[in-house]
Amino acid sequence: MANKYEMIVVLNPSIGEEALNALSDAVKAKVEEGATIETMDVIGAKKLAFEIEDQKVGYYLQFTFSAESTFPKEIERKLKITENVMRYLVVRVGE
C-alpha cells in the first residue's frame, strides 16, 4: 500500500540558473523512479536561517508524492550523494 509523503529539497543556488533547472529535473526524475508525484512546487531562492556550505541562500523544491514505505530511504540515499543538494527532508503525511 502506498503512503503519502512530503519532501523539501534545498539546492545550492551558486551553480547558476541553467544548472539549477537541470538539477531540479534530475531530482524530479529520481522521485519518479519509485513514486507517483502529486505536486512539485519550485519555491525558489530563500534566505537560510543559518549558513550551509558558506551559502546564505538556498533554492527550494517541494514535492508531494505517493510511494511504498521503502522509497523514502532510497530517495534520501540518492539525494545524499547528489552534488549541490545542500539539505533534504522527507516526512510521511498523517492519515
Side-chain angles (χ1 to χ4, degrees):
M1 178 168 140
N3 297 315
K4 190 171 179 181
Y5 297 92
E6 288 185 357
M7 178 174 73
I8 294 279
V9 181
V10 182
L11 307 177
N12 185 344
S14 67
I15 61 174
E17 186 176 336
E18 194 172 297
L20 275 174
N21 290 335
L23 185 56
S24 297
D25 291 341
V27 170
K28 181 180 179 187
K30 288 176 186 186
V31 174
E32 287 176 330
E33 287 175 7
T36 303
I37 296 177
E38 295 173 14
T39 62
M40 176 188 166
D41 295 324
V42 177
I43 297 171
K46 294 273 187 191
K47 187 174 186 289
L48 299 170
F50 55 91
E51 284 188 22
I52 302 172
E53 300 172 10
D54 296 327
Q55 294 293 319
K56 295 181 180 183
V57 175
Y59 189 82
Y60 285 76
L61 305 174
Q62 181 178 6
F63 294 88
T64 304
F65 60 89
S66 297
E68 296 299 319
S69 60
T70 57
F71 183 71
K73 281 196 187 290
E74 178 65 17
I75 193 67
E76 287 175 348
R77 183 188 68 78
K78 289 179 180 180
L79 290 173
K80 187 175 189 176
I81 61 174
T82 303
E83 196 171 333
N84 292 311
V85 172
M86 298 192 311
R87 292 287 189 275
Y88 54 85
L89 178 65
V90 181
V91 294
R92 183 174 170 197
V93 178
E95 301 288 316

